[in-house]
Amino acid sequence: MTRTTPMVLGLLCLLGTTTSFYLPGLAPVNFCKEAKNTCKSDIRLYVNRLNSEQSVIPYEYHHFDFCTTDEAHSPSENLGQVVFGERIRPSPYKLQFLKEEKCAVVCQKNYTIGAEESEKKLNLLKMGIKLSYQHHWIVDNMPVTWCYSVKDDYQFCSIGFPMGCYVKDEWASSDSCSIDPSIYNKPSTYYLFNHVDLLITYHSGAEEDWGPAGSKENMGRIISIKVTPRSIKHDPNEINHDCASRTPLEIPSEKGRKFNVVYTYSVHFLKNNTNKWSSRWDYILESMPHTNIQWFSILNSLVIVLFLSGMVAMIMLRTLHKDIARYNQAYFQIESGEDAQEEFGWKLVHGDVFRPPRKGMLLSVFLGSGVQVFFMSLVTLAFACLGFLSPANRGALMTCAIVLYVCLGTTAGYVSARIYKSFGGEKWKSNVLLTSMLSPGIIFSLFFIMNLIFWVKGSSAAVPFGTLVAILSLWFGISVPLTFIGAFFGFKKRAIEHPVRTNQIPRQIPEQSFYTQAVPGVIMGGVLPFGCIFIQLFFILNSLWSSQTYYMFGFLFLVFLILVITCSETTILLCYFHLCAEDYHWWWRSFLTSGFTAFYLLVYCIHYFVTKLNIEDNISTFLYFGYTMIMVYLFFLLTGSIGFFACFWFVRKIYSVVKVD
């Protein structure tokens, strides 16, 4: 896989009128029957970690005692792959282009039931089968898919396939046993899938598609790899095995019995010149019927935005306009010596509205970190929309997000310092230290605790010590110095000047009605922003916990913009109502109002855990909610900062156009 420079990638995006478009970071590979300078004959099959919807703990391929080969030449993973627990290793399956296999043997494993070493390995196999752990194989940077029919003869293609199936009783069995219920039907039985039928579809192309090499009869580009797993009881003493047998391989339980597993595979090639190499991911993505739901999500979000925008426009253009006109008229009456009307509404608190809040240090730190997360999300989604972070470029999304978060430390330091200085704060050392340490420290602490659990369980998700050192180096070697640089420039600039002066004595706040009190307002503030994103959340959680491919970054980017607008307008509305009720404590309330959307995100994650996942063990439950808390915390910083700065702009705007004494 070749990597191009960002300039070349940008040019590729601009050349939208060309006949073909290759995913960034990936060039087509030509295969031929006999290796030449322009093509390859060996097709390398790589194995990735195994995971399950019933457990958060993934494992490497060799953990389950499958057939392995020398792993010294494993592909190097990027930072995002390592953090997500991907471990890509070479497999012992030997594939040659256009060379078909009927029943090739990979290896043979021998066990003795009751022996300590054999029991340990077999218990791991049983555990993996019972919890529906799935293989993830890769050929030519394409996932090997398992396609099967669901209701209404609809074919669904999964990017993983099961390692076996377990029949609990005659009425209940795992979904993988539905491959052939006439075979896998014996109660309390573990069936190990020790044979795979591989169907490799290739595109031979026309001369204009092949470039200077020209079109050859025995040349092609792989466009799909489909697998059908089966359980076959082979006779270990046979030389020529029969893979047409319908007798399944059961894992026995009688002590002292010899148990032999022969792993086999067959390969069949199918020529298909209808589908092009450039669109080979389509059959995987189109098998997920989400497009109509996505459009419904967008329309739902747009209705909410239009409703909010109408209310904000009504306030800004009518109510506020009338308020400002009356306030200014009263001001000129006083200037001319006439009897003025008594002040009322939000103008009454003009002498207190910019009074520094309590815990201003913590608020400024949260705001700096929130702006950092905001720009990280914005740039990452923009790159994803352009195709730079496509599913074919594994781990690129996470790598991009981490690198951007580290490099945006300057923004966090600058914003935090500017806000803190506007509050009249003088402890600049504490401010910059908290900005660079608090939020990254909370995230890293949760990540480190979960990594310890993965390490104890022998999981592939355990980040190696060297990678942990690299992450810490990024934090302390790049992010912290950049935060200090940003804070230096932030403190060096003059403090933000407010449009009205602050009185020395705080004004007493009158008794508030129920809907203008702090807690009800904060709780109501997060409902509408969450309503804009909850449908997208389902697909994001599916991609995280159910191994489904997320590719609809255009929808996600649009929903992100809608979220920004909704958080801003909701906070402005509630802020206006509170100021009219003569409550000038808007600093923290504006942050918490939109930030409370993260609470609804947490509730939805709990709902997803209970209704969609089958996780039962305590360790997986802890790990699920550990990752959820990281996501919720970052979302809290993001939405809270959006609401605060929208409200900050609104308050400065309205008090800058009204005449006060």
Side-chain angles (χ1 to χ4, degrees):
M1 183 170 62
T2 61
R3 297 191 178 275
T4 56
T5 62
M7 184 178 294
V8 174
L9 292 176
L11 291 174
L12 285 174
C13 291
L14 293 175
L15 297 176
T17 58
T18 56
T19 55
S20 61
F21 176 76
Y22 296 144
L23 294 171
L26 180 66
V29 178
N30 299 332
F31 293 95
C32 54
K33 203 167 187 179
E34 296 181 1
K36 299 177 182 178
N37 292 333
T38 57
C39 60
K40 300 179 180 179
S41 61
D42 291 335
I43 301 176
R44 294 186 178 181
L45 190 154
Y46 293 97
V47 293
N48 204 342
R49 50 95 174 96
L50 287 85
N51 61 2
S52 169
E53 292 185 20
Q54 300 182 36
S55 176
V56 178
I57 305 173
Y59 292 102
E60 283 209 51
Y61 184 78
H62 60 248
H63 184 80
F64 292 101
D65 196 38
F66 295 125
C67 302
T68 56
T69 186
D70 184 18
E71 297 182 353
H73 301 289
S74 300
S76 58
E77 292 107 0
N78 55 43
L79 181 59
Q81 288 176 293
V82 175
V83 171
F84 267 117
E86 289 197 15
R87 301 293 183 269
I88 300 175
R89 304 287 182 254
S91 77
Y93 293 83
K94 306 299 180 183
L95 307 180
Q96 296 283 330
F97 187 69
L98 295 182
K99 182 182 178 182
E100 302 211 347
E101 298 285 356
K102 295 291 185 182
C103 193
V105 177
V106 186
C107 73
Q108 180 175 322
K109 298 287 184 178
N110 303 311
Y111 307 96
T112 302
I113 308 301
E116 182 178 354
E117 189 67 23
S118 295
E119 280 294 315
K120 182 180 178 181
K121 295 177 180 178
L122 289 175
N123 285 336
L124 281 175
L125 286 173
K126 290 179 180 178
M127 181 271 291
I129 293 171
K130 191 172 184 179
L131 294 179
S132 301
Y133 270 83
Q134 300 222 334
H135 292 277
H136 293 278
W137 291 2
I138 302 167
V139 173
D140 191 30
N141 204 37
M142 277 285 290
V144 177
T145 56
W146 174 42
C147 298
Y148 55 92
S149 297
V150 292
K151 61 181 180 178
D152 300 329
D153 295 328
Y154 176 79
Q155 190 179 61
F156 178 79
C157 291
S158 169
I159 59 174
F161 64 95
M163 58 182 290
C165 75
Y166 172 64
V167 181
K168 187 176 182 180
D169 51 50
E170 57 181 330
W171 304 108
S173 63
S174 62
D175 293 338
S176 51
C177 289
S178 61
I179 295 175
D180 195 340
S182 63
I183 297 178
Y184 312 115
N185 54 16
K186 189 176 179 180
S188 304
T189 304
Y190 295 89
Y191 295 100
L192 177 64
F193 292 157
N194 60 325
H195 175 84
V196 290
D197 295 310
L198 293 171
L199 175 62
I200 301 179
T201 307
Y202 68 97
H203 174 82
S204 62
E207 287 194 18
E208 59 267 20
D209 298 327
W210 288 96
S215 177
K216 303 293 184 182
E217 183 179 353
N218 294 326
M219 293 179 66
R221 293 173 181 170
I222 294 175
I223 56 176
S224 73
I225 313 95
K226 298 180 181 179
V227 63
T228 303
R230 286 192 287 150
S231 179
I232 301 176
K233 187 177 182 180
H234 295 293
D235 186 348
N237 299 318
E238 285 187 7
I239 298 177
N240 297 319
H241 294 279
D242 180 18
C243 290
S245 172
R246 290 177 59 83
T247 304
L249 180 66
E250 305 173 8
I251 300 180
S253 57
E254 301 87 354
K255 289 189 176 181
R257 178 178 170 181
K258 299 291 184 180
F259 177 55
N260 304 296
V261 181
V262 180
Y263 289 93
T264 56
Y265 67 101
S266 63
V267 183
H268 177 65
F269 286 86
L270 179 65
K271 184 177 179 180
N272 183 348
N273 285 343
T274 304
N275 298 329
K276 294 293 186 73
W277 181 91
S278 57
S279 58
R280 62 179 185 163
W281 281 80
D282 290 356
Y283 86 99
I284 300 176
L285 306 180
E286 289 174 357
S287 68
M288 302 176 185
H290 297 156
T291 306
N292 292 335
I293 301 176
Q294 292 291 334
W295 282 116
F296 173 78
S297 168
I298 297 298
L299 290 174
N300 171 68
S301 302
L302 286 175
V303 168
I304 294 176
V305 168
L306 290 174
F307 170 74
L308 274 175
S309 300
M311 292 189 65
V312 171
M314 182 179 66
I315 289 176
M316 299 291 284
L317 298 178
R318 295 185 61 187
T319 310
L320 257 179
H321 183 73
K322 291 180 179 179
D323 288 347
I324 293 170
R326 282 183 292 179
Y327 292 156
N328 289 339
Q329 182 182 5
Y331 174 81
F332 288 120
Q333 287 177 346
I334 295 175
E335 290 288 318
S336 61
E338 300 178 16
D339 293 333
Q341 297 178 356
E342 186 178 353
E343 291 186 345
F344 61 93
W346 52 268
K347 186 184 178 183
L348 283 173
V349 295
H350 67 83
D352 299 276
V353 71
F354 291 107
R355 187 177 302 280
R358 297 179 181 178
K359 308 293 183 183
M361 170 82 78
L362 183 61
L363 179 60
S364 63
V365 170
F366 279 167
L367 291 172
S369 300
V371 171
Q372 186 179 11
V373 175
F374 172 80
F375 283 108
M376 176 199 74
S377 305
L378 183 67
V379 177
T380 302
L381 288 176
F383 281 151
C385 287
L386 294 174
F388 299 162
L389 311 178
S390 66
N393 204 352
R394 304 173 191 281
L397 186 71
M398 189 67 179
T399 303
C400 178
I402 293 175
V403 171
L404 283 173
Y405 184 82
V406 169
C407 295
L408 286 169
T410 305
T411 307
Y414 180 82
V415 172
S416 178
R418 289 281 283 160
I419 296 296
Y420 182 63
K421 190 173 183 179
S422 72
F423 292 159
E426 298 178 352
K427 299 179 180 179
W428 64 270
K429 293 181 181 179
S430 300
N431 175 262
V432 70
L433 283 173
L434 282 174
T435 305
S436 60
M437 297 294 178
L438 181 62
S439 293
I442 292 173
I443 296 168
F444 184 81
S445 299
L446 288 170
F447 176 76
F448 183 74
I449 292 171
M450 291 184 290
N451 193 66
L452 286 178
I453 297 173
F454 283 131
W455 178 73
V456 171
K457 301 294 290 185
S459 171
S460 68
V463 176
F465 178 76
T467 307
L468 281 177
V469 173
I471 293 174
L472 288 173
S473 301
L474 288 174
W475 180 10
F476 289 102
I478 298 178
S479 181
V480 172
L482 288 177
T483 306
F484 273 77
I485 292 173
F488 171 77
F489 286 105
F491 279 112
K492 195 174 181 181
K493 289 185 71 74
R494 293 178 59 185
I496 300 174
E497 294 184 4
H498 300 305
V500 290
R501 293 191 301 269
T502 302
N503 296 333
Q504 293 184 353
I505 302 175
R507 180 185 178 87
Q508 186 175 0
I509 300 174
E511 186 177 353
Q512 300 292 303
S513 59
F514 176 77
Y515 66 90
T516 58
Q517 291 180 1
V519 175
V522 168
I523 293 175
M524 290 187 296
V527 174
L528 289 178
F530 178 76
C532 295
I533 63 167
F534 79 96
I535 296 178
Q536 281 291 331
L537 280 177
F538 174 78
F539 299 113
I540 294 173
L541 293 177
N542 269 350
S543 67
L544 290 175
W545 306 112
S546 299
S547 300
Q548 293 189 16
T549 303
Y550 190 90
Y551 64 97
M552 297 165 288
F553 293 108
F555 284 112
L556 186 59
F557 186 73
L558 184 57
V559 170
F560 178 78
L561 296 180
I562 292 173
L563 173 68
V564 172
I565 297 171
T566 311
C567 285
S568 303
E569 293 180 342
T570 303
T571 312
I572 288 173
L573 272 175
L574 292 174
C575 179
Y576 175 77
F577 293 148
H578 292 138
L579 291 177
C580 288
E582 301 178 28
D583 186 351
Y584 52 84
H585 294 309
W586 64 273
W587 300 96
W588 271 107
R589 187 175 296 168
S590 62
F591 183 86
L592 295 176
T593 297
S594 54
F596 201 75
T597 311
F599 174 78
Y600 295 105
L601 170 62
L602 176 61
V603 172
Y604 187 82
C605 289
I606 296 173
H607 168 75
Y608 182 86
F609 177 83
V610 173
T611 58
K612 300 298 181 182
L613 299 179
N614 298 317
I615 296 175
E616 295 180 357
D617 64 289
N618 295 329
I619 294 178
S620 291
T621 301
F622 176 81
L623 292 171
Y624 174 86
F625 284 103
Y627 280 115
T628 297
M629 291 310 297
I630 292 177
M631 184 168 61
V632 168
Y633 179 70
L634 291 174
F635 195 71
F636 169 71
L637 295 176
L638 170 69
T639 53
S641 299
I642 293 170
F644 174 88
F645 284 107
C647 198
F648 187 61
W649 170 83
F650 172 75
V651 173
R652 286 177 57 84
K653 194 70 176 176
I654 63 174
Y655 282 98
S656 64
V657 296
V658 69
K659 302 293 184 179
V660 295
D661 294 333

